[in-house]
Amino acid sequence: MIKNERQYKITRSKADEVRVAISELERAPLPEGLSAEMRELQMQALSGTLGDFEAELADFDALHDATLIEATGIGEFPTALIRARIARGLTQRELADRLGIAEQSIQRYEAGDYAGVSFARLVDLAAARAVTVHYDVRLASPS
């Protein structure tokens, strides 16, 4: 998941590099000793990598129009918070300013998917994004 503009730029650059590699591979003659099947496997691997990069870029871009961020479990809450920040158009620095903490704290929180962050801080983080959280607590049938 792309979490900030820097990662977005890096991912876009990597996607461009893979596009160039695919183009060069398509134009290059088949080296001696390399089978057509092996070349096809190389192309599939590069195409798969490019597809992954493009999906991440598209996901990041789509967040800017989002009004609902879904999390299907409590384990997805950290990712939902990150996605909500992006959807709100907030940088990590802007979120940190809203909370009165260092930007590096937000960077650390997001890099670790909020592991070890207190519940009270998570509530503050959600409020700073101006988001509301709705969650159903469902009881599993007793064993």
Side-chain angles (χ1 to χ4, degrees), residues 10-139:
I10 290 169
T11 303
R12 189 177 57 213
S13 176
K14 295 284 186 190
D16 291 343
E17 290 173 13
V18 173
R19 282 187 198 92
V20 169
I22 289 171
S23 177
E24 289 173 354
L25 193 59
E26 288 172 338
R27 289 192 317 262
L30 192 63
E32 190 173 320
L34 184 69
S35 68
E37 291 83 17
M38 185 58 73
R39 169 65 63 89
E40 181 57 29
L41 288 174
Q42 289 174 325
M43 290 296 290
Q44 288 175 5
L46 286 171
S47 294
T49 299
L50 179 59
D52 291 344
F53 286 150
E54 288 175 338
E56 285 189 37
L57 292 165
D59 185 50
F60 186 86
D61 288 335
L63 283 173
H64 294 90
D65 296 323
T67 57
L68 175 68
I69 307 294
E70 292 186 273
T72 58
I74 196 76
E76 293 180 13
F77 187 59
T79 301
L81 282 177
I82 296 166
R83 293 170 65 84
R85 176 188 55 76
I86 295 165
R88 283 285 184 215
L90 294 171
T91 65
Q92 291 172 327
R93 177 181 307 247
E94 291 167 337
L95 178 59
D97 289 346
R98 285 185 179 196
L99 291 165
I101 63 175
E103 177 183 7
Q104 291 79 11
S105 295
I106 298 298
Q107 290 170 345
R108 273 194 314 276
Y109 293 162
E110 290 189 359
D113 291 329
Y114 291 101
V117 177
S118 72
F119 183 75
R121 175 60 82 187
L122 290 173
V123 170
D124 292 343
L125 287 158
R129 289 170 173 83
V131 299
T132 58
V133 178
H134 300 273
Y135 201 86
D136 295 326
V137 177
R138 298 173 194 246
L139 302 175

